[in-house]
Amino acid sequence: MKLLTRITLCMVLLCQIPSYGQKISDDSLLKKANQEIYNKPDNAIRIGKRLLQKEKDINKSIKIYLLLSTAEIAKRNFDESLRYILKARELVRKTNDPKVQTSFFISTAVLFQQMELYSKSLETLDEADEYLAKLPEGLSYKYFETARSYALRGMIYKSQSNPEIALQEFLIAVKNFEKVKEKKTTYFNLSIMYYNIGYCYLNLNQLENAEPAFIKSMDFAILIKAKSLEGFALKGMSEVHKQKHQNQTALELLIKAQALGEESGDLSLNEGIYKEMADNYLAMGVQNKYQIYSKKYIEARFKREQNELSSINNAIDAHNIETERKSNEVTAYYDKLIIASVIIGLAILTIIVFMILKTRKRNKNYQKEIQQLIRS
């Protein structure tokens, strides 16, 4: 899996903030949980589970399940994230709120994209867009979800080696994120967008545009004290210097990023840092350091892939269950249709037979009357 696609998870971390509230105390807790998803996902999960125990409203329960799913994505625990998504899906079938439906489908699309199930992710985004179109214009919430939709499509195009198309999607996402009123949410996602924009320029060999984009990403990350995002931005800047053959400068940036990555515990970030450090030490001919970081890179990649493999298997199982459910619904529908057709057919046949018998009886009566007239 390309590391460049892994930053997608950040797109959903504050997805519930521009939304509707609960009671004051619960709303405050939910907001706190959303703010801690990235740097303290375990704390966000604890709060979410506590709120879920006493929540009776379907729409609010869906929001909490999405919070829990997002927090598990932040921990790269896709298996648990999928479990919460499946629970939310059961409740989504019972609601008609387009805000809740939109948030659910986009969050689900993010999860599929993280597991590289791109066609499933795009299919889910198309479903989300149907509900997104139902929301009135001018809503901060609509700008936010529109931005997420474009951003996620950009991630998919980038991972499929289409940086030109991905760049267009990211730039549209930036315009929509800038219209979101919640500044922390805006800064958070703008950091992610500029990180990915930087990589698009990097893939297009436009180094003069790539570095400013990474710097913007880092500036927004510092504003909200998102250490992992700052680490990603530093790693991006190091790749610019690596392509310029400025390996020592690249390593200095990576050492800073490594400290941030170890503090946040982000597996994907650490994997990328180890790979870049190994590449730079190799270019500088420092064999012992190259071997150390090559080993760390392989170990980090193996750990991530094992986590994702389990989640992908569960996602396939869930997809099969959903397909079977829909098939059963279709079968049940046609069974009812056949039964109704048979009942209607029997009813019509009964009426026809009754009419035939009635006509025959009437004809016999006419014949008897005619014979009596002839005899008389």
Side-chain angles (χ1 to χ4, degrees):
M1 178 182 295
K2 293 182 180 179
L3 177 62
L4 307 186
T5 64
R6 308 306 305 156
I7 192 63
T8 313
L9 65 94
C10 303
M11 296 307 305
V12 290
L13 296 184
L14 295 176
C15 65
Q16 293 86 5
I17 285 180
S19 189
Y20 20 81
Q22 297 191 27
K23 295 173 290 186
I24 295 176
S25 58
D26 287 355
D27 180 66
S28 178
L29 282 172
L30 188 60
K31 187 172 182 179
K32 177 179 174 61
N34 274 288
Q35 291 172 342
E36 294 187 344
I37 285 178
Y38 193 69
N39 288 320
K40 298 179 180 178
D42 288 324
N43 194 35
I45 290 169
R46 280 194 295 272
I47 294 173
K49 287 181 177 179
R50 192 188 319 157
L51 291 173
L52 196 61
Q53 288 176 351
K54 57 182 178 178
E55 188 55 68
K56 303 298 182 183
D57 185 271
I58 289 178
N59 291 341
K60 293 171 184 177
S61 294
I62 293 170
K63 286 174 57 181
I64 297 170
Y65 277 127
L66 291 178
L67 163 75
L68 292 169
S69 175
T70 301
E72 294 293 355
I73 290 177
K75 294 175 63 180
R76 296 299 195 275
N77 193 344
F78 299 116
D79 197 35
E80 281 297 299
S81 177
L82 178 62
R83 187 169 69 86
Y84 289 123
I85 283 289
L86 294 176
K87 288 184 177 181
R89 184 172 64 186
E90 293 300 317
L91 297 179
V92 167
R93 296 194 184 106
K94 302 176 183 178
T95 182
N96 293 317
D97 190 326
K99 284 186 175 181
V100 174
Q101 291 163 329
T102 299
S103 182
F104 167 76
F105 283 111
I106 292 182
S107 296
T108 304
V110 170
L111 180 60
F112 286 134
Q113 186 273 344
Q114 288 285 293
M115 294 186 289
E116 293 189 329
L117 301 174
Y118 298 136
S119 60
K120 189 67 178 173
S121 182
L122 290 170
E123 176 188 325
T124 307
L125 279 178
D126 290 339
E127 290 185 80
D129 288 344
E130 292 178 16
Y131 295 107
L132 192 57
K134 297 178 182 179
L135 298 174
E137 296 297 327
L139 287 179
S140 180
Y141 182 88
K142 185 167 186 175
Y143 291 132
F144 180 81
E145 295 295 7
T146 300
R148 285 213 297 159
S149 181
Y150 277 107
L152 189 53
R153 291 179 192 276
M155 301 290 182
I156 293 172
Y157 290 132
K158 187 182 71 172
S159 66
Q160 294 175 334
S161 302
N162 289 314
E164 297 93 343
I165 300 175
L167 185 59
Q168 294 173 11
E169 301 291 315
F170 290 140
L171 291 174
I172 295 173
V174 165
K175 290 180 180 178
N176 280 278
F177 274 130
E178 288 174 343
K179 297 176 183 178
V180 177
K181 294 178 181 179
E182 291 78 4
K183 292 301 180 183
K184 187 168 184 177
T185 304
T186 300
Y187 295 156
F188 194 94
N189 290 288
L190 286 176
S191 175
I192 298 160
M193 286 299 89
Y194 280 113
Y195 169 84
N196 285 281
I197 287 170
Y199 265 108
C200 287
Y201 283 128
L202 202 60
N203 292 334
L204 292 168
N205 201 31
Q206 297 180 23
L207 302 184
E208 69 282 1
N209 293 325
E211 188 165 16
F214 287 128
I215 291 173
K216 282 186 177 180
S217 175
M218 184 175 65
D219 289 342
F220 282 118
I222 291 172
L223 281 174
I224 55 174
K225 299 178 180 179
K227 295 177 181 179
S228 185
L229 292 185
E230 186 182 350
F232 273 110
L234 286 167
K235 185 181 73 66
M237 290 169 62
S238 77
E239 292 193 48
V240 173
H241 288 284
K242 184 181 74 173
Q243 288 200 18
K244 292 179 179 180
H245 305 291
Q246 299 170 350
N247 302 104
Q248 186 58 47
T249 302
L251 280 169
E252 290 170 2
L253 292 168
L254 287 169
I255 290 169
K256 293 179 182 179
Q258 184 181 14
L260 294 169
E262 290 176 350
E263 188 174 349
S264 66
D266 191 313
L267 292 176
S268 183
L269 174 58
N270 290 330
E271 177 188 345
I273 290 170
Y274 297 149
K275 182 181 183 302
E276 288 302 310
M277 293 186 84
D279 289 347
N280 280 283
Y281 280 124
L282 180 63
M284 295 172 66
V286 185
Q287 286 295 325
N288 62 327
K289 290 291 184 70
Y290 165 71
Q291 291 175 1
I292 290 171
Y293 284 101
S294 288
K295 183 180 178 182
K296 285 188 175 184
Y297 164 64
I298 292 170
E299 290 172 349
R301 184 180 66 181
F302 178 77
K303 185 175 181 180
R304 172 182 55 77
E305 289 177 347
Q306 287 299 110
N307 288 342
E308 290 167 5
L309 181 60
S310 173
S311 299
I312 289 171
N313 289 335
N314 285 330
I316 293 171
D317 291 341
H319 175 70
N320 291 338
I321 291 170
E322 179 69 7
T323 301
E324 184 179 356
R325 184 188 67 80
K326 290 180 179 179
S327 176
N328 290 337
E329 287 179 355
V330 171
T331 302
Y333 170 77
Y334 281 108
D335 286 345
K336 291 177 182 178
L337 193 62
I338 291 169
I339 291 170
S341 299
V342 170
I343 292 172
I344 292 171
L346 289 173
I348 293 172
L349 182 61
T350 301
I351 293 170
I352 291 172
V353 170
F354 174 78
M355 293 299 292
I356 291 172
L357 293 174
K358 186 176 180 181
T359 302
R360 288 179 66 182
K361 184 177 181 181
R362 187 173 58 197
N363 288 341
K364 285 182 180 181
N365 290 334
Y366 287 154
Q367 288 175 0
K368 287 180 181 180
E369 290 177 3
I370 292 170
Q371 287 176 359
Q372 289 175 358
L373 288 172
I374 291 173
R375 289 171 184 172
S376 62

